Amino acid sequence: MRKIIIDTDPGIDDALAILLALSAREELDVLALTTVNGNVDVEKVTKNAFKILDVAGRTDIPVYKGNRKPLMRENSMPADCHGDDGLGNIGVAESAGVPEEESAADFLIRKVREEKGEITLVPIGPLTNIAEAVQKDPAFVKNVKEVVIMGGAVHEGNVTPYAEFNFWVDPEAAKIVFQAGFEKIVMVGLDATKHVWLNPALRELLYQINTPVSRFIHKVTRVYADAHWRQHQKLGSELCDVLVTAYLLDNGVIDTIDAFVDVETQGLCEGASVVYPVMKYKDKMKNCEVAVNADTGRFFEIFFGYLFPEYLDTVKKMQG
Ligand code: BDR
Ligand code: CA
């Protein structure tokens, strides 16, 4: 059983990543959610974290509120595809949940110290909390088992031609994390997540499955689909963060290369991840495994297989 802490800014695709993780009760032990400013402000994302736990019926999981702004700069623009409330403006019921007293970074530091070498960090928002923990506690990095990040891109960004949203919001934090010396980092960026495309037929299947969780996912992805149509005239939506959870359940869902990754913090390419494959750049030391592709069919078999196992065959048939 893998022990994980999800550091998140929910966020529609964050919600899916959390729900998938919670459905894998035998494989993943979700110790806590930590929240961070990103898709919307930290107050809203923290409320959203509780709403998602309510949908999943997992109010036993603690939530720790994190940073309200990036590490070294003022607040950035919110993302434009998650709705004003960060959860697609679909009127998800307010939750009674309240965050723990301890801050996200202090909790991360304490928890990985208590369970040295046991915990996988899963940041699916800007890396502010993780970088804060790196800076605050010299032992933090060595206490962490691995870090599996949604962020970055080898080729094309989504906020600028070069920068992916999570790194663009807090590039200094991302740089600190890649330079910190973690035993293992996996960067699941846009080169892989662009293959995780929820097409209209699969989305309709979620409606027909007709459980509270499937109807929630159907509803919450509406605003996402609208944004993709508005921006790219494509039917459906890309689901970024949830690929990280799928990877934790089946690492064959992505292809990776060994690389040295750095992050640009200034200028035209601010927020861009610069990926040097070590096969080619022999003078660079590997600090990361970078996802360069994802298997769409396998992803949806994992997604439906865990969340709605009785529909796995239907999904396999739909995918041919
Ligand atoms: C990332 O940006 C956010 O909008 C998503 O939640 C995801 O974490 C994708 O670039
Ligand atoms: Ca996110």
mmCIF file of all heavy atoms in Angstrom, residues 7-15 17 36 38-39 82 123-126 150 164-166 224 240-241, ligand 2:
data_model
loop_
_atom_site.group_PDB
_atom_site.id
_atom_site.type_symbol
_atom_site.label_atom_id
_atom_site.label_comp_id
_atom_site.label_asym_id
_atom_site.label_seq_id
_atom_site.Cartn_x
_atom_site.Cartn_y
_atom_site.Cartn_z
ATOM 1 N N ASP A 7 -1.130 17.225 -2.771
ATOM 2 C CA ASP A 7 -1.011 18.681 -2.606
ATOM 3 C C ASP A 7 -1.727 19.292 -3.816
ATOM 4 O O ASP A 7 -1.289 19.112 -4.949
ATOM 5 C CB ASP A 7 0.472 19.060 -2.573
ATOM 6 C CG ASP A 7 0.669 20.517 -2.243
ATOM 7 O OD1 ASP A 7 0.308 20.925 -1.129
ATOM 8 O OD2 ASP A 7 1.176 21.260 -3.112
ATOM 9 N N THR A 8 -2.795 20.036 -3.568
ATOM 10 C CA THR A 8 -3.750 20.260 -4.654
ATOM 11 C C THR A 8 -4.403 21.641 -4.631
ATOM 12 O O THR A 8 -4.495 22.270 -3.577
ATOM 13 C CB THR A 8 -4.836 19.148 -4.564
ATOM 14 O OG1 THR A 8 -5.850 19.357 -5.525
ATOM 15 C CG2 THR A 8 -5.481 19.084 -3.187
ATOM 16 N N ASP A 9 -4.892 22.067 -5.807
ATOM 17 C CA ASP A 9 -5.606 23.341 -5.934
ATOM 18 C C ASP A 9 -6.937 23.109 -6.659
ATOM 19 O O ASP A 9 -7.148 23.608 -7.749
ATOM 20 C CB ASP A 9 -4.741 24.372 -6.693
ATOM 21 C CG ASP A 9 -4.408 23.938 -8.111
ATOM 22 O OD1 ASP A 9 -4.438 22.715 -8.394
ATOM 23 O OD2 ASP A 9 -4.140 24.811 -8.965
ATOM 24 N N PRO A 10 -7.833 22.337 -6.053
ATOM 25 C CA PRO A 10 -9.014 21.905 -6.817
ATOM 26 C C PRO A 10 -9.928 23.044 -7.232
ATOM 27 O O PRO A 10 -10.354 23.832 -6.431
ATOM 28 C CB PRO A 10 -9.742 20.974 -5.842
ATOM 29 C CG PRO A 10 -9.066 21.070 -4.528
ATOM 30 C CD PRO A 10 -7.833 21.889 -4.678
ATOM 31 N N GLY A 11 -10.162 23.085 -8.489
ATOM 32 C CA GLY A 11 -9.687 22.418 -9.693
ATOM 33 C C GLY A 11 -10.497 21.167 -10.068
ATOM 34 O O GLY A 11 -10.684 20.257 -9.265
ATOM 35 N N ILE A 12 -10.991 21.210 -11.334
ATOM 36 C CA ILE A 12 -11.813 20.119 -11.846
ATOM 37 C C ILE A 12 -10.979 18.840 -11.981
ATOM 38 O O ILE A 12 -11.393 17.777 -11.499
ATOM 39 C CB ILE A 12 -12.436 20.535 -13.195
ATOM 40 C CG1 ILE A 12 -13.432 21.687 -12.967
ATOM 41 C CG2 ILE A 12 -13.120 19.357 -13.873
ATOM 42 C CD1 ILE A 12 -13.919 22.383 -14.219
ATOM 43 N N ASP A 13 -9.826 18.931 -12.640
ATOM 44 C CA ASP A 13 -9.040 17.703 -12.819
ATOM 45 C C ASP A 13 -8.407 17.251 -11.508
ATOM 46 O O ASP A 13 -8.183 16.064 -11.288
ATOM 47 C CB ASP A 13 -7.980 17.859 -13.926
ATOM 48 C CG ASP A 13 -7.057 19.041 -13.711
ATOM 49 O OD1 ASP A 13 -7.432 20.002 -13.011
ATOM 50 O OD2 ASP A 13 -5.937 19.005 -14.253
ATOM 51 N N ASP A 14 -8.175 18.189 -10.589
ATOM 52 C CA ASP A 14 -7.742 17.814 -9.237
ATOM 53 C C ASP A 14 -8.823 16.941 -8.583
ATOM 54 O O ASP A 14 -8.508 15.939 -7.927
ATOM 55 C CB ASP A 14 -7.537 19.045 -8.344
ATOM 56 C CG ASP A 14 -6.494 20.008 -8.873
ATOM 57 O OD1 ASP A 14 -6.791 20.718 -9.851
ATOM 58 O OD2 ASP A 14 -5.393 20.046 -8.307
ATOM 59 N N ALA A 15 -10.077 17.358 -8.752
ATOM 60 C CA ALA A 15 -11.182 16.599 -8.140
ATOM 61 C C ALA A 15 -11.155 15.162 -8.638
ATOM 62 O O ALA A 15 -11.291 14.210 -7.860
ATOM 63 C CB ALA A 15 -12.519 17.259 -8.476
ATOM 64 N N ALA A 17 -8.583 13.529 -9.846
ATOM 65 C CA ALA A 17 -7.384 12.856 -9.319
ATOM 66 C C ALA A 17 -7.639 12.363 -7.892
ATOM 67 O O ALA A 17 -7.252 11.247 -7.527
ATOM 68 C CB ALA A 17 -6.196 13.820 -9.335
ATOM 69 N N VAL A 36 -3.286 24.580 -1.922
ATOM 70 C CA VAL A 36 -2.377 25.655 -2.343
ATOM 71 C C VAL A 36 -3.092 26.575 -3.335
ATOM 72 O O VAL A 36 -3.908 26.111 -4.154
ATOM 73 C CB VAL A 36 -1.095 25.050 -2.964
ATOM 74 C CG1 VAL A 36 -1.356 24.269 -4.243
ATOM 75 C CG2 VAL A 36 -0.025 26.102 -3.192
ATOM 76 N N GLY A 38 -3.852 28.451 -6.586
ATOM 77 C CA GLY A 38 -3.552 28.017 -7.952
ATOM 78 C C GLY A 38 -4.713 28.305 -8.876
ATOM 79 O O GLY A 38 -4.909 29.456 -9.284
ATOM 80 N N ASN A 39 -5.502 27.279 -9.146
ATOM 81 C CA ASN A 39 -6.629 27.471 -10.071
ATOM 82 C C ASN A 39 -7.539 28.607 -9.608
ATOM 83 O O ASN A 39 -8.039 29.389 -10.418
ATOM 84 C CB ASN A 39 -7.425 26.169 -10.195
ATOM 85 C CG ASN A 39 -6.711 25.147 -11.048
ATOM 86 O OD1 ASN A 39 -6.126 25.491 -12.070
ATOM 87 N ND2 ASN A 39 -6.743 23.891 -10.638
ATOM 88 N N HIS A 82 -11.789 26.605 -14.939
ATOM 89 C CA HIS A 82 -12.366 25.832 -13.838
ATOM 90 C C HIS A 82 -13.593 26.522 -13.233
ATOM 91 O O HIS A 82 -14.139 26.034 -12.245
ATOM 92 C CB HIS A 82 -11.332 25.625 -12.731
ATOM 93 C CG HIS A 82 -10.145 24.812 -13.159
ATOM 94 N ND1 HIS A 82 -10.002 23.472 -12.905
ATOM 95 C CD2 HIS A 82 -9.045 25.158 -13.869
ATOM 96 C CE1 HIS A 82 -8.862 23.025 -13.418
ATOM 97 N NE2 HIS A 82 -8.265 24.038 -14.008
ATOM 98 N N PRO A 123 2.053 16.361 -5.786
ATOM 99 C CA PRO A 123 1.635 17.747 -6.027
ATOM 100 C C PRO A 123 0.965 17.884 -7.391
ATOM 101 O O PRO A 123 1.558 17.551 -8.414
ATOM 102 C CB PRO A 123 2.950 18.538 -6.007
ATOM 103 C CG PRO A 123 4.040 17.550 -5.717
ATOM 104 C CD PRO A 123 3.495 16.194 -5.986
ATOM 105 N N ILE A 124 -0.267 18.380 -7.357
ATOM 106 C CA ILE A 124 -1.001 18.573 -8.621
ATOM 107 C C ILE A 124 -1.464 20.026 -8.752
ATOM 108 O O ILE A 124 -2.444 20.315 -9.439
ATOM 109 C CB ILE A 124 -2.170 17.554 -8.761
ATOM 110 C CG1 ILE A 124 -3.106 17.597 -7.547
ATOM 111 C CG2 ILE A 124 -1.624 16.144 -8.956
ATOM 112 C CD1 ILE A 124 -4.342 16.686 -7.683
ATOM 113 N N GLY A 125 -0.760 20.899 -8.072
ATOM 114 C CA GLY A 125 -0.981 22.342 -8.194
ATOM 115 C C GLY A 125 0.393 22.999 -8.229
ATOM 116 O O GLY A 125 1.423 22.315 -8.351
ATOM 117 N N PRO A 126 0.458 24.318 -8.095
ATOM 118 C CA PRO A 126 1.765 24.988 -7.992
ATOM 119 C C PRO A 126 2.574 24.398 -6.827
ATOM 120 O O PRO A 126 2.000 23.964 -5.828
ATOM 121 C CB PRO A 126 1.380 26.451 -7.753
ATOM 122 C CG PRO A 126 0.023 26.571 -8.389
ATOM 123 C CD PRO A 126 -0.665 25.265 -8.136
ATOM 124 N N MET A 150 2.237 16.678 -11.195
ATOM 125 C CA MET A 150 1.641 17.102 -12.462
ATOM 126 C C MET A 150 2.100 18.517 -12.704
ATOM 127 O O MET A 150 1.800 19.427 -11.917
ATOM 128 C CB MET A 150 0.108 17.068 -12.435
ATOM 129 C CG MET A 150 -0.535 17.228 -13.827
ATOM 130 S SD MET A 150 -0.543 18.910 -14.439
ATOM 131 C CE MET A 150 0.111 18.724 -16.080
ATOM 132 N N GLU A 164 3.676 25.697 -18.642
ATOM 133 C CA GLU A 164 2.496 24.987 -18.138
ATOM 134 C C GLU A 164 2.006 25.720 -16.887
ATOM 135 O O GLU A 164 2.815 26.272 -16.139
ATOM 136 C CB GLU A 164 2.905 23.525 -17.835
ATOM 137 C CG GLU A 164 1.812 22.643 -17.274
ATOM 138 C CD GLU A 164 1.576 22.833 -15.796
ATOM 139 O OE1 GLU A 164 2.534 23.188 -15.074
ATOM 140 O OE2 GLU A 164 0.441 22.659 -15.348
ATOM 141 N N PHE A 165 0.700 25.671 -16.621
ATOM 142 C CA PHE A 165 0.096 26.482 -15.567
ATOM 143 C C PHE A 165 0.755 26.330 -14.187
ATOM 144 O O PHE A 165 1.109 27.331 -13.545
ATOM 145 C CB PHE A 165 -1.414 26.179 -15.472
ATOM 146 C CG PHE A 165 -2.126 26.977 -14.417
ATOM 147 C CD1 PHE A 165 -2.501 28.292 -14.651
ATOM 148 C CD2 PHE A 165 -2.404 26.431 -13.164
ATOM 149 C CE1 PHE A 165 -3.148 29.040 -13.673
ATOM 150 C CE2 PHE A 165 -3.046 27.164 -12.183
ATOM 151 C CZ PHE A 165 -3.423 28.476 -12.442
ATOM 152 N N ASN A 166 0.903 25.102 -13.700
ATOM 153 C CA ASN A 166 1.389 24.923 -12.317
ATOM 154 C C ASN A 166 2.795 25.503 -12.125
ATOM 155 O O ASN A 166 3.092 26.099 -11.083
ATOM 156 C CB ASN A 166 1.386 23.446 -11.912
ATOM 157 C CG ASN A 166 -0.026 22.909 -11.737
ATOM 158 O OD1 ASN A 166 -0.966 23.675 -11.499
ATOM 159 N ND2 ASN A 166 -0.178 21.606 -11.869
ATOM 160 N N TYR A 224 -15.237 22.631 -18.246
ATOM 161 C CA TYR A 224 -13.979 22.244 -18.886
ATOM 162 C C TYR A 224 -14.188 22.041 -20.389
ATOM 163 O O TYR A 224 -13.423 22.533 -21.219
ATOM 164 C CB TYR A 224 -13.552 20.920 -18.275
ATOM 165 C CG TYR A 224 -12.181 20.890 -17.681
ATOM 166 C CD1 TYR A 224 -11.464 22.044 -17.423
ATOM 167 C CD2 TYR A 224 -11.607 19.676 -17.352
ATOM 168 C CE1 TYR A 224 -10.213 21.979 -16.863
ATOM 169 C CE2 TYR A 224 -10.355 19.605 -16.787
ATOM 170 C CZ TYR A 224 -9.661 20.762 -16.548
ATOM 171 O OH TYR A 224 -8.426 20.695 -15.994
ATOM 172 N N CYS A 240 -5.793 16.626 -16.823
ATOM 173 C CA CYS A 240 -4.354 16.572 -16.510
ATOM 174 C C CYS A 240 -4.026 15.817 -15.224
ATOM 175 O O CYS A 240 -3.347 14.786 -15.242
ATOM 176 C CB CYS A 240 -3.809 17.984 -16.413
ATOM 177 S SG CYS A 240 -3.910 18.877 -17.968
ATOM 178 N N ASP A 241 -4.490 16.343 -14.091
ATOM 179 C CA ASP A 241 -3.993 15.848 -12.804
ATOM 180 C C ASP A 241 -4.269 14.365 -12.566
ATOM 181 O O ASP A 241 -3.485 13.666 -11.917
ATOM 182 C CB ASP A 241 -4.630 16.655 -11.658
ATOM 183 C CG ASP A 241 -4.178 18.096 -11.664
ATOM 184 O OD1 ASP A 241 -3.101 18.386 -12.211
ATOM 185 O OD2 ASP A 241 -4.906 18.936 -11.109
HETATM 186 CA CA CA B 2 -4.332 21.196 -10.323
#
